[in-house]
Amino acid sequence: MSFREILNSGKFAVTAEVGPPKGTDIKEMIHHMELLKGKLDAVNVTDNQSAVMRICSIAVCKIAMEHGLEPILQMTCRDRNRIGLQSDLLGANILGIKNVLCMTGDHVSAGDHKGAKPVYDIESVQLLNAVDGLNKGKDMSGNDLKGATDFFQGAVVTPEANPIEPQLMKFEKKVRAGANFFQTQAIYDIEKFKEFMKHARKFPVKILAGFVVLKSAGMANFLNNNVPGIRVPQTLIDELKAAGKEKALDTGMNITARHIKQLRDEKICDGVHIMAIGMEDKVPMIMEKAGLI
Amino acid sequence: MIITKKRDFKELMENIKNYKSFFLLGCSECATLCGTGGEPELKAMKETLEAEGKSVTGTFVAKTGCQVLGTKVELKPFKEALDKTDCIIVMSCGAGTQSAVELYEDKPVFPANDSLFLGNMTRLQFFDERCSLCGKCILDKTGGICPITACPKGLLNGPCGGCKDGHCEISPDIKCAWVRIYERMKKLDRLQELCEVTLEAKDWSASQKPRTLVTREEKKK
């Protein structure tokens, strides 16, 4: 079943991500793809994440397909104007890429080309509208396409954004713009996530909760202090501290697995998205611990 | 007003190293308020150049340096000083510099300042950018706060995921434009209109350069 069919069938979906490397040596990336093959419903391919220049997402999506994975093309509005974005979307679609995740994209000041001109000709909501248009055979100027796309488009949301109201306003605009599914920023507090889901359930969209595995108490504190929209509760930080340095990563994986299991058992959301960030080889183990495989 | 700051002096000296005499042209409007092209700054520049062994044939603070014809008339009494000078240093914005370029075709003209942005002066020597001169105002839809300018990504439909405790991912010194817009529209009881409307992709053709505008009606013959 395709990712779209899995979500539409009500099956609990599992996605993870592959970050394209910086440079043409893709041996390690292919190794990760082989580890993930057959275990995931789809794999996100990030788009110059954190504004750090890497191999483009479309090329890596194509390679993911060649290695038996269904890709979700992440597309940000940072590096291309509306002509470039639509053109790349058409190109991606003819390569067989069916899923696209529409995002605004981290600002260039976060990355390794700080002097680059950020584009942001359009933003995530307008990109979703553009994909919807391409699916209906029209470009953003209303011109007819010779052959429409058949994308399954999604977007991102930050359930623990502070303040939350403007974030929810944008979430609803994304729903109206045609988002079928959402992958969330990393969540660590299931009770708070349930509150978000109560709101999200009013809309006909699928929600995949995001996970970033905690490697240590230090990492948890770093996330709390530096990453917008992430809040690791003190109880989890204490749990990591108590585990000691050697067991911290195991404990972090156990926490992720425990949360995934709870979301699935209690049918809180429609799936999970595991962002391994350099620990792609650990994803199968987390899935095993969560009872997903 | 146009916010300017002094260019790196070494760069300016490199520009003018082959010239001996200079005419300094300031501006009584923005550059005076920015402290880059008023009487005190022209006086200081004159002294600095003289200390470097250069000569200054004259100085003048134009009323409005970007007003080409007005500046031309104002500079008439300085004809001799301007004829004598090797080149002109303009201590206002890029527009003022190019007024001098237009008026003195055979003189090299160098800018003493970098032109930064269209800004509001919030208090003495504090300047904020609030308008990007995009050519098609959307302030009517965003509670009077411009997200094209106040948001580093120029987002039109709400905050990105980089908003942290109401501040921008670029810098904790920047308050998230969309949190500000949301709060203001809430205070004005206009949230519904903010939430219900999705702004379409902006038509950037309105800021196609170079822009011109003629507002004078042609007299009927």
Side-chain angles (χ1 to χ4, degrees):
Chain A
M1 270 203 276
S2 68
F3 177 60
R4 183 199 307 239
E5 287 164 349
I6 282 165
L7 280 181
N8 288 339
S9 74
K11 248 190 84 186
F12 193 78
V14 183
T15 59
E17 71 180 22
V18 166
K22 190 182 191 73
T24 55
D25 179 354
I26 56 171
K27 285 196 283 292
E28 192 185 356
M29 182 186 83
I30 287 176
H31 172 65
H32 289 154
M33 287 177 175
E34 278 162 0
L35 283 176
L36 298 171
K37 185 182 171 181
K39 300 184 177 75
L40 300 174
D41 298 311
V43 65
N44 286 48
V45 179
T46 52
D47 177 11
N48 294 301
Q49 78 256 39
S50 308
V52 172
M53 191 283 294
R54 302 156 199 267
I55 300 175
C56 72
S57 181
I58 293 175
V60 173
C61 282
K62 177 72 176 157
I63 288 178
M65 288 190 289
E66 287 166 4
H67 288 80
L69 287 160
E70 180 175 341
I72 298 173
L73 173 71
Q74 294 197 184
M75 253 202 163
T76 73
C77 300
R78 178 191 54 236
D79 308 321
R80 286 159 290 188
N81 69 8
R82 67 192 78 177
I83 299 173
L85 288 165
Q86 293 180 99
S87 164
D88 279 359
L89 281 164
L90 294 178
N93 207 234
I94 61 163
L95 290 174
I97 297 164
K98 305 292 183 192
N99 311 301
V100 59
L101 189 73
C102 300
M103 321 160 81
T104 295
D106 295 322
H107 195 269
V108 296
S109 62
D112 67 348
H113 287 65
K114 294 185 197 298
K117 186 174 186 179
V119 180
Y120 302 117
D121 175 30
I122 60 170
E123 32 94 309
S124 52
V125 179
Q126 295 157 349
L127 180 59
L128 282 162
N129 273 325
V131 173
D132 188 50
L134 296 180
N135 279 347
K136 290 171 179 157
K138 296 270 186 194
D139 72 10
M140 284 182 73
S141 291
N143 300 307
D144 288 326
L145 301 176
K146 191 174 174 186
T149 57
D150 59 347
F151 280 117
F152 185 57
Q153 68 271 40
V156 294
V157 64
T158 306
E160 292 217 22
N162 177 36
I164 188 69
E165 294 92 342
Q167 179 71 209
L168 294 179
M169 169 184 80
K170 192 154 185 183
F171 168 75
E172 287 177 37
K173 287 191 185 190
K174 287 176 176 179
V175 174
R176 290 203 299 271
N180 298 290
F181 67 94
F182 283 82
Q183 291 174 310
T184 79
Q185 172 62 291
I187 57 147
Y188 293 96
D189 186 333
I190 303 298
E191 290 310 308
K192 286 202 82 177
F193 182 65
K194 281 183 187 171
E195 282 171 38
F196 166 77
M197 282 308 301
K198 229 184 258 173
H199 180 75
R201 280 290 180 240
K202 295 177 198 159
F203 305 95
V205 290
K206 305 292 182 181
I207 309 283
L208 283 77
F211 285 93
V212 170
V213 180
L214 297 170
K215 295 177 200 171
S216 64
M219 176 184 171
N221 285 321
F222 178 84
L223 292 176
N224 277 347
N225 293 329
N226 296 290
V227 181
I230 291 194
R231 212 184 51 82
V232 185
Q234 190 59 42
T235 51
L236 294 186
I237 299 176
D238 292 342
E239 191 178 334
L240 289 161
K241 258 189 210 155
K245 266 193 183 157
E246 277 173 25
K247 290 262 174 79
L249 177 58
D250 271 347
T251 306
M253 291 201 291
N254 288 339
I255 291 169
T256 300
R258 186 170 83 210
H259 285 167
I260 292 174
K261 193 167 183 314
Q262 187 187 353
L263 293 179
R264 189 186 182 208
D265 290 349
E266 298 181 22
K267 297 189 166 52
I268 295 167
C269 59
D270 308 294
V272 289
H273 176 54
I274 306 165
M275 295 168 269
I277 317 178
M279 295 197 302
E280 285 78 2
D281 53 330
K282 298 281 193 289
V283 172
M285 203 194 292
I286 295 164
M287 293 179 69
E288 227 167 276
K289 283 176 188 248
L292 294 168
I293 45 174
Chain B
M1 74 179 91
I2 305 301
I3 310 306
T4 48
K5 76 171 203 274
K6 290 173 186 164
R7 278 177 71 207
D8 179 48
F9 189 69
K10 274 188 204 146
E11 264 180 46
L12 179 62
M13 285 307 287
E14 182 62 24
N15 290 161
I16 61 173
K17 65 181 177 191
N18 297 326
Y19 304 105
K20 290 196 176 77
S21 58
F22 302 89
F23 185 90
L24 307 180
L25 180 60
C27 175
S28 79
E29 307 269 9
C30 319
T32 290
L33 282 166
C34 289
T36 55
E39 296 287 359
E41 293 79 33
L42 264 69
K43 185 166 175 277
M45 178 66 88
K46 180 173 186 287
E47 286 165 6
T48 308
L49 289 171
E50 285 169 353
E52 297 276 339
K54 311 273 188 190
S55 75
V56 174
T57 65
T59 68
F60 180 65
V61 176
K63 162 109 187 25
T64 309
C66 52
Q67 222 262 64
V68 182
L69 290 180
T71 304
K72 182 180 183 180
V73 172
E74 281 184 315
L75 283 172
K76 270 187 183 155
F78 296 89
K79 187 175 181 308
E80 197 187 325
L82 281 156
D83 283 344
K84 263 198 306 196
T85 189
D86 287 344
C87 68
I88 299 167
I89 295 179
V90 180
M91 299 174 64
S92 60
C93 63
T97 303
Q98 292 179 73
S99 290
V101 168
E102 182 173 337
L103 295 175
Y104 301 99
E105 283 176 350
D106 51 357
K107 296 278 180 196
V109 177
F110 292 100
N113 297 327
D114 286 318
S115 304
L116 303 179
F117 54 89
L118 169 61
N120 291 45
M121 185 160 81
T122 53
R123 48 188 161 129
L124 194 64
Q125 294 175 333
F126 279 69
F127 305 100
D128 277 355
E129 186 177 19
R130 295 188 183 171
C131 171
S132 298
L133 304 172
C134 71
K136 185 80 183 75
C137 198
I138 58 161
L139 287 172
D140 57 322
K141 297 176 186 70
T142 57
I145 295 166
C146 176
I148 292 164
T149 312
C151 167
K153 300 179 185 175
L155 302 183
L156 295 182
N157 283 299
C160 69
C163 172
K164 185 169 172 59
D165 303 326
H167 293 267
C168 180
E169 69 178 18
I170 304 296
S171 159
D173 298 333
I174 304 172
K175 193 155 184 205
C176 171
W178 273 98
V179 170
R180 288 172 57 208
I181 291 167
Y182 192 92
E183 282 172 357
R184 183 164 161 81
M185 289 298 260
K186 193 173 181 179
K187 205 181 273 179
L188 298 173
D189 202 18
R190 289 174 60 194
L191 266 188
Q192 202 181 351
E193 90 189 69
L194 187 72
C195 295
E196 279 178 0
V197 176
T198 292
L199 293 186
E200 285 182 7
K202 194 166 171 59
D203 179 359
W204 288 108
S205 67
S207 54
Q208 176 75 54
K209 290 176 201 311
R211 291 181 271 186
T212 55
L213 176 71
V214 178
T215 54
R216 187 168 62 183
E217 279 181 38
E218 291 301 320
K219 279 182 189 155
K220 281 175 192 162
K221 280 174 189 169

